[in-house]
Amino acid sequence: MDIILYAVPGFLLLIIIELIAEKVRGTNYYRVHDSITSLAAGILSQLMKLLHLLLPFTVYLLIYEHSAVFKLPDTVWVWLLAFVVYDFCYYWNHRLGHEMNLLWAAHVVHHSSEEYNLTTALRQTSGSFLSYVFYLPMAVLGFDPALVVTVGALNLIYQYWVHTRHIGKLGWYEELFVTPSNHRVHHAQNDIYIDRNYGGVFILWDRLFGSFQEELDDDPVVFGITGAVSSWNPLWVNAQVYAQLMHDCWHTRNWWHKATLWFRRTGWRPPDVAKKYPLGKSRLADFEKYDSVMTPIMKVYSILQYAVNSTISLALIIYLADVPLIVQLSVIMFIVVSSLSLGAYMEGKRYGVILEYLKQSVILFSPMFFTWSLGLSLVLVVTALMGVSILIKSQAIGAIANPEMNT
Ligand SMILES: [Zn+2]
Ligand SMILES: [Zn+2]
């Protein structure tokens, strides 16, 4: 089982602590729709890994078996070395993830939130198909595949706690390691902070390769990206930049640009397409966070539905080996559609409400497939009935009928 799963209770505990800090300090760093979008993207990311991790693992294994210059032994020093080397590879993966159109299309998800809290850390991509290439040198150097998977998970777990606004600068620790302060800079859309601080665990790489920027009191961080994603739909958050690149590729008349726009500097567009279809970029001074009106009962409904989705997803990941392939794929499809519908519901879209009713009907009838478990069937029926009754009360259609309520 993925080591990251063992960290989930710790992730939840830290979110609870951050929410308590939010209450005590009277800060306003959380919004329900934003956090649910982040968490839903995290769940989707873990589910998609089930589908596309086989290829990277196979390629790594083949290189390790046939082309490794050494076979490094299983010692503490090799583990420590692997941890450092992995972070070095991560730095370049992350840097190119910001500097190349195609890789940015995958990484943008993590930066699409305009808030910065521990849920932002879990807003991970579902479409990172190429990043494994950056770790293949570790196979050539002879790092055992299982070791690389473990240090990769530890690296990701380390990055969790730095996604908070509640911790200030940490003295000497800032010099060597990634911290909340220097990672806040990384999530900023202020000119001075863009494309800075790529390290995962060690900020040392940024200092060495000229990409470091300190958080400045005179320049408070504005979180998010310059071309806002403006959606609570985690599928669209994943697809938006890919869709933009495909649009540009399709419309440009220059064949060289069609082939190369994917690999050019992030933001580069073929001149003919950029002229014909300009993208509006707001000035930082005019920046307003994307928002939509959610009544308290809509918030309750959305939180409960996210809880249902995440419980089903975690159960699938934990019991994967015992679940037939057709059920695995059905559950993944259910979560994908369910995430889309919840996003649309939170945006106040009418089709989101209709999809939510359809989803509750599916849950209501699903006990037919679980006749062997009376307990599970009862839970499903109760969940669906509760969902429908809150949905009726949630006044979502009322909110939609008043367009001025939603921005
Ligand atoms: Zn980044
Ligand atoms: Zn981050």
Side-chain angles (χ1 to χ4, degrees):
M1 195 166 70
D2 193 337
I3 192 174
I4 291 169
L5 278 180
Y6 290 104
V8 169
F11 290 165
L12 290 177
L13 182 68
L14 285 181
I15 287 176
I16 291 168
I17 292 171
E18 195 180 40
L19 284 170
I20 293 169
E22 170 110 332
K23 196 84 184 152
V24 171
R25 293 179 166 181
T27 52
N28 201 17
Y29 302 154
Y30 271 83
R31 291 185 296 158
V32 170
H33 32 35
D34 172 83
S35 288
I36 289 182
T37 309
S38 295
L39 295 168
I43 288 285
L44 281 179
S45 165
Q46 288 300 311
L47 290 180
M48 290 306 136
K49 268 189 194 171
L50 301 178
L51 299 179
H52 69 69
L53 261 192
L54 189 63
L55 174 72
F57 197 74
T58 310
V59 173
Y60 189 99
L61 202 61
L62 283 173
I63 294 177
Y64 175 73
E65 291 297 343
H66 300 289
S67 310
V69 283
F70 319 104
K71 286 273 163 60
L72 292 170
D74 189 14
T75 67
V76 175
W77 293 109
V78 170
W79 275 71
L80 288 175
L81 184 65
F83 191 75
V84 176
V85 174
Y86 184 95
D87 200 58
F88 177 76
C89 298
Y90 176 87
Y91 172 86
W92 288 106
N93 171 24
H94 194 187
R95 185 163 178 166
L96 268 288
H98 278 257
E99 294 181 354
M100 185 195 288
N101 268 333
L102 181 62
L103 298 178
W104 173 243
H107 184 58
V108 65
V109 181
H110 184 59
H111 290 269
S112 57
S113 173
E114 288 159 353
E115 302 295 342
Y116 190 78
N117 55 53
L118 290 171
T119 65
T120 314
L122 302 175
R123 190 182 277 236
Q124 296 288 335
T125 180
S126 295
S128 180
F129 306 111
L130 292 174
S131 57
Y132 77 95
V133 171
F134 290 87
Y135 304 97
L136 294 179
M138 293 186 77
V140 179
L141 290 173
F143 288 102
D144 185 89
L147 172 58
V148 175
V149 170
T150 306
V151 292
L154 293 175
N155 189 291
L156 197 67
I157 290 168
Y158 174 86
Q159 294 182 40
Y160 180 70
W161 76 281
V162 302
H163 292 84
T164 183
R165 296 172 71 179
H166 283 286
I167 298 175
K169 289 189 181 172
L170 298 173
W172 66 267
Y173 195 78
E174 300 281 337
E175 302 294 319
L176 296 174
F177 294 98
V178 173
T179 64
S181 173
N182 57 44
H183 198 64
R184 282 194 287 271
V185 164
H186 180 66
H187 277 258
Q189 54 171 303
N190 316 45
D191 284 341
I192 188 173
Y193 296 143
I194 286 180
D195 290 349
R196 305 278 96 184
N197 301 1
Y198 296 112
V201 172
F202 301 104
I203 201 70
L204 215 55
W205 313 123
D206 289 284
R207 293 184 185 278
L208 276 174
F209 299 112
S211 53
F212 177 74
Q213 173 61 51
E214 189 184 354
E215 186 181 30
L216 305 170
D217 292 339
D218 296 343
D219 235 319
V221 169
V222 180
F223 296 100
I225 50 177
T226 50
V229 173
S230 303
S231 175
W232 306 132
N233 175 349
L235 271 70
W236 179 239
V237 169
N238 268 287
Q240 196 193 37
V241 175
Y242 283 114
Q244 179 64 49
L245 292 174
M246 281 184 221
H247 168 276
D248 289 359
C249 180
W250 178 260
H251 283 94
T252 182
R253 289 170 176 274
N254 183 318
W255 284 91
W256 176 244
H257 292 163
K258 268 188 205 299
T260 58
L261 73 92
W262 310 90
F263 309 104
R264 294 191 183 223
R265 183 90 192 181
T266 296
W268 184 89
R269 303 180 71 206
D272 56 341
V273 180
K275 195 174 169 197
K276 198 171 173 190
Y277 304 99
L279 290 177
K281 273 193 179 174
S282 60
R283 292 185 319 127
L284 199 61
D286 305 327
F287 172 73
E288 276 185 40
K289 289 178 189 171
Y290 171 65
D291 202 6
S292 65
V293 173
M294 282 180 81
T295 58
I297 195 131
M298 281 177 80
K299 291 180 184 173
V300 169
Y301 179 80
S302 304
I303 291 168
L304 282 176
Q305 295 315 305
Y306 171 72
V308 170
N309 286 355
S310 56
T311 307
I312 294 172
S313 305
L314 282 175
L316 175 68
I317 294 168
I318 292 167
Y319 298 108
L320 190 69
D322 305 327
V323 181
L325 184 64
I326 185 73
V327 180
Q328 291 180 19
L329 294 174
S330 306
V331 170
I332 291 174
M333 187 54 79
F334 176 84
I335 298 297
V336 167
V337 175
S338 185
S339 305
L340 179 149
S341 108
L342 189 57
Y345 174 80
M346 294 192 299
E347 287 172 13
K349 302 245 169 71
R350 189 177 294 275
Y351 78 84
V353 182
I354 295 166
L355 274 177
E356 281 300 305
Y357 275 115
L358 281 174
K359 185 186 85 181
Q360 298 302 349
S361 315
V362 170
I363 299 177
L364 196 60
F365 288 107
S366 61
M368 289 191 302
F369 303 101
F370 299 102
T371 45
W372 46 268
S373 171
L374 186 65
L376 179 60
S377 301
L378 270 174
V379 169
L380 290 167
V381 170
V382 171
T383 307
L385 290 176
M386 247 173 63
V388 170
S389 74
I390 302 177
L391 200 52
I392 290 168
K393 284 186 201 147
S394 75
Q395 302 166 338
I397 291 178
I400 293 156
N402 296 304
E404 69 276 9
M405 286 180 73
N406 290 301
T407 53

